[in-house]
Amino acid sequence: MDKINNNNLLAKIRDVPDFPKPGIMFKDITTLIRDKEAFAAAIDLFYQAFKDKKIDYVAAIESRGYIFGAPLAYKLGAGLVIIRKPGKLPAETIREDYALEYGTDALEIHKDAVEVGKKVLVVDDLLATGGTAAAACRLLQKCGAEVSCCAFCLELSSLPGRQNMPEGVNVWSALSC
């Protein structure tokens, strides 16, 4: 296969109209991650962007954030923190409610997930309105973490995700459309 570039990676993402509700054009990354070369190239893009940033933890958002967060944490030599939907973590949690483009939801993290002052990179598959990632940042900040950046495989540039991030949190995207 020819060398993977950003255009090749974008072409691997499937559009699914009217999911999860009418009017939403869902960007399906499963078609990218099933291609071993494209998936490796995507993880390498994340790694190259953050390899020199001295990240203590990668915080991955349920559930597609885990796909990118786990291998990235491994490559960076960082710990992995998981952020989940309510009721799925076994120890004491803190919760953050948020709005998203097709409704409302909430996220939880273990209260002791990160130590005060540790540098955290938040990872998810897609940035749309920013509600989910902003909620994840607020959870980590409640734990005393320093959220250095939010990183995404794909950013929907027509939506206000970047503008909705908490003050001082940078945004990085491997791909944009």
Side-chain angles (χ1 to χ4, degrees):
M1 179 176 190
D2 293 325
K3 183 177 169 151
I4 297 284
N5 62 39
N6 288 13
N7 288 335
N8 296 130
L9 290 178
L10 277 172
K12 298 285 183 185
I13 297 171
R14 171 176 42 204
D15 287 342
V16 180
D18 299 321
F19 183 83
K21 70 177 212 170
I24 301 291
M25 180 61 75
F26 187 81
K27 298 294 186 178
D28 181 12
I29 59 142
T30 63
T31 49
L32 181 147
I33 63 174
R34 76 176 179 207
D35 181 310
K36 65 184 177 184
E37 292 170 341
F39 183 45
I43 297 300
D44 287 344
L45 285 172
F46 278 89
Y47 175 71
Q48 289 303 316
F50 297 101
K51 67 181 180 179
D52 299 322
K53 303 294 184 193
K54 298 183 177 159
I55 303 296
D56 295 305
Y57 294 102
V58 171
I61 302 171
E62 184 175 342
S63 67
R64 291 179 305 270
Y66 301 166
I67 295 165
F68 299 98
L72 179 60
Y74 171 76
K75 286 187 80 153
L76 291 174
L80 179 67
V81 172
I82 59 171
I83 299 173
R84 300 217 57 191
K85 302 291 183 188
K88 296 187 177 185
L89 292 170
E92 187 177 356
T93 62
I94 55 176
R95 176 185 172 119
E96 185 73 30
D97 295 314
Y98 65 98
L100 63 166
E101 66 270 26
Y102 48 84
T104 61
D105 213 336
L107 292 174
E108 292 183 342
I109 188 172
H110 279 135
K111 191 174 184 178
D112 63 354
V114 297
E115 298 86 17
V116 172
K118 293 296 183 177
K119 194 171 185 180
V120 179
L121 171 65
V122 175
V123 174
D124 206 357
D125 66 323
L126 183 125
L127 175 61
T129 64
T132 306
C137 291
R138 290 191 299 271
L139 281 173
L140 290 158
Q141 290 167 340
K142 285 179 183 178
C143 292
E146 175 194 331
V147 179
S148 61
C149 189
C150 288
F152 305 92
C153 181
L154 179 64
E155 179 178 355
L156 303 181
S157 58
S158 63
L159 295 174
R162 281 180 183 262
Q163 294 83 348
N164 291 329
M165 290 296 107
E167 187 175 330
V169 175
N170 296 314
V171 174
W172 177 88
S173 301
L175 307 167
S176 181
C177 68

